């Protein structure tokens, strides 16, 4: 699942920042994006974006009429991602440094699709109860969707320990109380994708 990359970003001040771990190359990205159903004009939010592989691919899909928000708490990663987006002339990608535990720096009803790609096992599912669940629901549009990508809860020669891994049932139990409805489960081999829709919305 997680893999440490050695390719660095050169930041605006000339310093080098190592690219963080990514799940992007642990499954077929085409299968992931096919399941996500991202389309031109969509607004895509990647929470805990890391080095931003999903963001860069998403920016190409949503096109100039769409928007990608990449949020991570590590300024070196967001600076490097923004620099890479600028290099590729992806004017529709905005990298934001923020602690997701303190809220999401986006307006209400803005996002069509939110991705949490191999991020929840690195924190705790309690983060949803502590406010992130409400925040995701807030920034999603009516009928917006949230996708959770995680490694299967089984022994693997890479990624987090078995104890840190999250079973789909654990993820469902954490999301459903926050007004989300399960949409689909996608088996990606070593990983899985759970997609929810924002239900029980007042508007």
């Amino acid at each position: 699942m997680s893999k440490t990359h050695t390719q660095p970003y050169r930041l605006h001040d000339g310093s080098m920042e190592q690219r963080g771990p990514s799940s992007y190359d642990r499954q077929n990205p085409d299968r992931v994006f096919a399941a996500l159903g991202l389309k031109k004009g969509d607004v895509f939010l990647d929470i805990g974006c890391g080095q931003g592989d999903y963001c860069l691919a998403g920016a190409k899909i949503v096109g100039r009429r769409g928007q990608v928000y990449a949020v991570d708490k590590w300024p070196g990663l967001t600076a490097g991602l923004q620099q890479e987006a600028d290099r590729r002339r992806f004017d529709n990608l905005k990298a934001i440094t923020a602690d997701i535990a303190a809220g999401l720096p986006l307006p209400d009803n803005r996002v069509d699709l939110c991705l949490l790609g191999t991020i929840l096992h690195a924190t705790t599912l309690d983060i949803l109860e502590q406010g992130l669940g409400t925040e995701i629901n807030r920034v999603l549009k009516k009928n917006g969707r949230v996708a959770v990508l995680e490694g299967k809860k089984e022994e693997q020669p890479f990624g987090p320990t078995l104890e840190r891994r999250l079973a789909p049932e654990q993820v469902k139990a954490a999301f459903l109380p926050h007004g989300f409805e399960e949409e689909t489960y996608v088996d990606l081999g070593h990983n899985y994708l759970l997609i929810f829709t924002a239900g029980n919305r007042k508007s």
Side-chain angles (χ1 to χ4, degrees):
M1 202 187 64
S2 298
K3 179 180 179 181
T4 301
H5 292 260
T6 57
Q7 179 184 351
Y9 280 130
R10 184 173 295 279
L11 304 183
H12 59 84
D13 62 0
S15 62
M16 303 300 284
E17 176 73 21
Q18 291 297 119
R19 304 185 74 183
S22 174
S23 66
Y24 192 79
D25 54 1
R26 287 297 182 182
Q27 64 274 315
N28 184 339
D30 291 338
R31 286 191 62 199
V32 174
F33 279 99
L36 293 178
L38 200 61
K39 60 186 184 298
K40 287 191 180 299
D42 276 353
V43 177
F44 177 44
L45 166 63
D46 188 348
I47 295 177
C49 64
Q51 66 187 36
D53 291 315
Y54 293 102
C55 303
L56 294 167
K60 187 174 182 180
I61 293 171
V62 303
R64 293 185 177 276
R65 293 189 296 109
Q67 178 71 51
V68 174
Y69 295 103
V71 178
D72 201 283
K73 70 177 181 178
W74 301 111
L77 290 175
T78 53
L81 173 56
Q82 190 65 66
Q83 187 176 58
E84 180 65 13
D86 294 344
R87 185 186 71 80
R88 299 190 191 190
R89 298 184 179 179
F90 287 162
D91 298 333
N92 59 350
L93 193 157
K94 182 178 181 181
I96 304 169
T97 304
D99 183 354
I100 62 173
L104 297 174
L106 275 75
D108 295 356
N109 305 311
R110 174 63 176 152
V111 176
D112 293 290
L113 175 68
C114 170
L115 173 67
L116 293 102
T118 59
I119 186 67
L120 289 178
H121 76 265
T123 56
T124 169
L125 286 175
D126 289 343
I127 195 173
L128 293 164
E129 184 65 33
Q130 293 164 1
L132 183 60
T134 300
E135 279 291 276
I136 293 174
N137 220 331
R138 177 184 66 79
V139 302
L140 283 176
K141 297 177 182 177
K142 186 177 182 180
N143 300 320
R145 299 152 72 236
V146 55
V148 178
L149 177 65
E150 284 292 339
K152 291 181 179 177
K153 195 171 181 64
E154 58 188 33
E155 291 286 1
Q156 296 183 22
F158 47 79
T161 62
L162 181 62
E163 292 74 19
R164 296 296 299 273
R165 292 174 180 271
L166 300 172
E169 292 74 21
Q170 292 175 275
V171 176
K172 292 177 191 178
F175 271 88
L176 296 183
H178 297 284
F180 295 100
E181 299 172 356
E182 182 184 354
E183 177 183 305
T184 188
Y185 170 89
V186 182
D187 189 327
L188 297 170
H190 295 300
N191 294 348
Y192 66 87
L193 190 68
L194 262 175
I195 301 177
F196 303 89
T197 55
N200 304 321
R201 301 295 294 274
K202 294 181 180 180
S203 60

